[in-house]
Amino acid sequence: MCIRDRSYSFSVIIPAHNAARFLPETLEALAGNDLRNAEVLLVNDASSDNTVEVARRFEAPFNLKVVTSATQLGPAGARNLGTREASAPLLLFLDADVVLPSQALFWIRETLDLYSHREDVAGVLGAYSEDAPAGGFLTHFKNLSTTYLYKITETQSPFLHTAIFAVKREILELAGGFDVRLDRAEDFMLGVNLGSQGYHFIIDRRLEARHLKQYSMRDILVEDWQRIQNLRRIRLSGRQRRFSLKAHRWSRLISLASPGLVTVSVCLGFVKPELLWAALALVMVFLVANLRFGLYLVRKRGIWFGLGSLLFLFLEMFWASLAVLASFVIGRSKRITNTPTH
């Protein structure tokens, strides 16, 4: 298969905020790829650690340029800054804690070449490997959750995840880039923006990368809360809303609604005991909706990990439902229109 090097030259953009502990492994893995037709831009997003010093060690091995922002821009703003500084027609966004396989750039070029006759194909997505770093239950749960999502998503994905994300620059710029008003849901907004216009992203199943992040309970609770608050603030057009509803998984929506309804049923069950049966029925609905996910986890980590994961998912979805309720009741943020700013 002929890969047209000039058409598929890359600007690899790595947003980094206090990422010094991850960068050596991330950049070493990137250096293992064929970078003869690529530039690498590390966007130092006002880091207070030695992120820049670590990055400078890799200036000699490959064409790395450090771009620094004096104030913290957030993931969306850092990616937009990298886009403005980039020179290639193809952008590869890579999180600072993601370790690519050595053939990653070749596979992306190959996939783009395979779909070069499709104007609706805007780019290529990679996924996390099932191999997580040394960490506890929560780290493996979150890693496998994301991995599973990509395994059950169609190759022409309606979703967008920016951890490993190659996109044609002209399409990204026409979309207005990443919305800097969102710090947790900018990938969702961009995906809806492009997907509702008919663009697709191809998941390259070979492109599995190790995610180095380790999760604590606080990390998960804060991320879930902030992401839901961001999502609640987004105002979609009619076309975008229809696309978003089509892209959502009903199992996920059921999982979000069930824990809160179970809690209400149990509380009311002290007054009307028959409602306890409703609570039990809702628990069964939750388990059925997540049966495939649970079986996947059992195959990968054993039955106790699978059962523990379903219990934690139930609790996480209860927390998420509280965040949704709070976003309606508090109303502390204005809704965001679908016109991006950058």
Side-chain angles (χ1 to χ4, degrees):
M1 180 177 292
C2 178
I3 304 298
R4 294 166 293 183
D5 286 340
R6 185 173 181 180
S7 298
Y8 297 143
S9 60
F10 279 97
S11 289
V12 183
I13 299 172
I14 306 174
H17 174 71
N18 292 342
R21 64 189 184 280
F22 302 125
L23 275 179
E25 194 169 351
T26 296
L27 294 178
E28 284 171 10
L30 180 60
N33 280 259
D34 184 355
L35 296 171
R36 286 176 295 180
N37 200 26
E39 64 175 357
V40 181
L41 294 91
L42 185 132
V43 182
N44 172 38
D45 190 17
S47 297
S48 58
D49 65 358
N50 62 329
T51 289
V52 173
E53 289 75 8
V54 172
R56 299 276 186 212
R57 300 175 198 164
F58 291 85
E59 286 180 321
F62 52 80
N63 182 20
L64 184 144
K65 175 183 177 182
V66 177
V67 179
T68 296
S69 172
T71 59
Q72 188 174 349
L73 302 174
R79 293 191 187 101
N80 287 341
L81 176 58
T83 299
R84 291 193 293 271
E85 295 292 329
S87 60
L90 184 71
L91 307 175
L92 172 59
F93 293 98
L94 179 67
D95 282 358
D97 56 3
V98 170
V99 179
L100 289 177
S102 61
Q103 295 294 308
L105 269 69
F106 174 79
W107 289 334
I108 295 173
R109 288 187 172 105
E110 195 174 53
T111 300
L112 286 170
D113 196 66
L114 180 64
Y115 287 90
S116 59
H117 63 289
R118 293 268 302 274
E119 293 185 0
D120 63 304
V121 172
V124 178
L125 300 175
Y128 291 158
S129 165
E130 293 173 344
D131 178 25
F137 166 80
L138 295 177
T139 295
H140 290 286
F141 168 78
K142 291 298 289 185
N143 189 73
L144 288 173
S145 297
T146 305
T147 302
Y148 175 76
L149 177 62
Y150 271 88
K151 287 184 179 297
I152 63 173
T153 300
E154 295 179 359
T155 298
Q156 297 184 36
S157 174
F159 300 98
L160 179 58
H161 187 213
T162 49
I164 314 156
F165 168 52
V167 62
K168 297 173 184 176
R169 179 185 185 131
E170 61 179 352
I171 293 177
L172 179 64
E173 291 178 339
L174 284 174
F178 295 91
D179 195 322
V180 299
R181 295 167 296 184
L182 302 172
D183 53 12
R184 290 290 182 185
E186 78 286 350
D187 52 350
F188 170 83
M189 188 66 237
L190 181 62
V192 169
N193 190 4
L194 292 175
S196 63
Q197 296 180 55
Y199 289 109
H200 296 90
F201 296 90
I202 305 301
I203 300 177
D204 191 327
R205 307 291 178 182
R206 303 167 296 180
L207 190 54
E208 293 188 344
R210 291 183 71 239
H211 187 209
L212 300 178
K213 182 173 181 177
Q214 298 190 34
Y215 286 87
S216 66
M217 180 66 77
R218 182 182 182 279
D219 292 332
I220 294 174
L221 296 180
V222 170
E223 280 191 14
D224 287 350
W225 182 275
Q226 292 180 345
R227 186 171 182 83
I228 288 172
Q229 302 310 313
N230 273 208
L231 290 172
R232 179 68 181 89
R233 294 164 57 201
I234 295 172
R235 175 171 291 166
L236 302 177
S237 67
R239 181 175 64 179
Q240 290 173 332
R241 189 177 300 108
R242 288 189 295 272
F243 173 83
S244 175
L245 291 174
K246 182 180 178 181
H248 273 303
R249 300 183 188 282
W250 288 108
S251 60
R252 196 66 172 177
L253 296 177
I254 291 171
S255 299
L256 181 62
S258 298
L261 293 174
V262 168
T263 302
V264 171
S265 298
V266 169
C267 292
L268 294 178
F270 289 103
V271 179
K272 293 185 176 182
E274 59 269 22
L275 289 177
L276 294 176
W277 290 105
L280 180 59
L282 288 166
V283 170
M284 295 304 297
V285 168
F286 177 87
L287 292 175
V288 170
N290 292 283
L291 180 60
R292 289 177 59 195
F293 177 50
L295 292 175
Y296 167 78
L297 295 174
V298 169
R299 289 196 301 271
K300 295 302 173 183
R301 295 285 174 179
I303 187 168
W304 294 115
F305 181 88
L307 292 174
S309 294
L310 289 178
L311 175 59
F312 181 78
L313 179 62
F314 186 89
L315 297 174
E316 184 183 15
M317 291 298 98
F318 177 70
W319 170 253
S321 65
L322 290 179
V324 171
L325 180 62
S327 70
F328 280 97
V329 173
I330 300 173
R332 60 186 177 184
S333 300
K334 293 182 179 180
R335 283 189 166 207
I336 291 178
T337 62
N338 56 20
T339 303
T341 61
H342 53 90

